Amino acid sequence: MGLRVLAVDDSKTMRDMVSFTLKNAGHDVIEATDGKHALSLAEGARVDLVITDVNMPNMDGITLVKSLRALPSYKSTPILVLTTEADATKKNQGREAGATGWIVKPFSPDKLLQVISKVCP
């Protein structure tokens, strides 16, 4: 049984790549264009995993992680940050906000699926 994944990125190309990778692996994908859009979708649907970019308009990924963690139904949902940011300070902000993992773009589909299998056994 596949996972229900919320993929959040302001880049359509990146959302398409993530969706393609996940759908090929048998997962169901819901796409959001920024943190605000993702939060409204998350409040109305139950997902098994959230994958979010950091730098987005309206609401960035770190704020999204904090906002999701504040919701009772997302306290223990794995949240992966997929970003071009490799800076240790940003990673720490992500961890402090409640992110489960951090993947630096560009990513390989195999690496993404490997990380997902670790956080969603």
Side-chain angles (χ1 to χ4, degrees):
M1 180 72 187
L3 301 169
R4 190 152 196 231
V5 183
L6 176 56
V8 191
D9 203 305
D10 56 324
S11 160
K12 178 165 176 20
T13 307
M14 190 53 64
R15 281 195 319 272
D16 288 349
M17 282 172 49
V18 169
S19 284
F20 180 78
T21 300
L22 296 175
K23 286 176 180 172
N24 275 353
H27 303 301
D28 183 26
V29 181
I30 304 166
E31 295 182 23
T33 53
D34 61 41
K36 239 182 199 165
H37 183 206
L39 193 56
S40 69
L41 290 172
E43 288 171 334
R46 186 75 190 104
V47 299
D48 304 305
L49 170 70
V50 177
I51 300 174
T52 184
D53 185 18
V54 170
N55 300 311
M56 298 179 287
N58 301 317
M59 182 190 288
D60 67 90
I62 304 286
T63 306
L64 173 62
V65 173
K66 285 181 187 165
S67 302
L68 287 171
R69 289 295 183 224
L71 301 172
S73 55
Y74 284 89
K75 285 242 183 286
S76 60
T77 302
I79 303 174
L80 296 176
V81 177
L82 179 63
T83 180
T84 54
E85 297 278 351
D87 183 55
T89 308
K90 276 283 189 208
K91 284 185 183 179
N92 282 336
Q93 287 176 344
R95 205 173 295 117
E96 286 167 12
T100 311
W102 194 277
I103 302 169
V104 178
K105 296 175 189 172
F107 71 95
S108 78
D110 288 342
K111 169 89 172 138
L112 179 62
L113 294 173
Q114 192 177 31
V115 171
I116 290 171
S117 70
K118 281 186 183 147
V119 299
C120 297

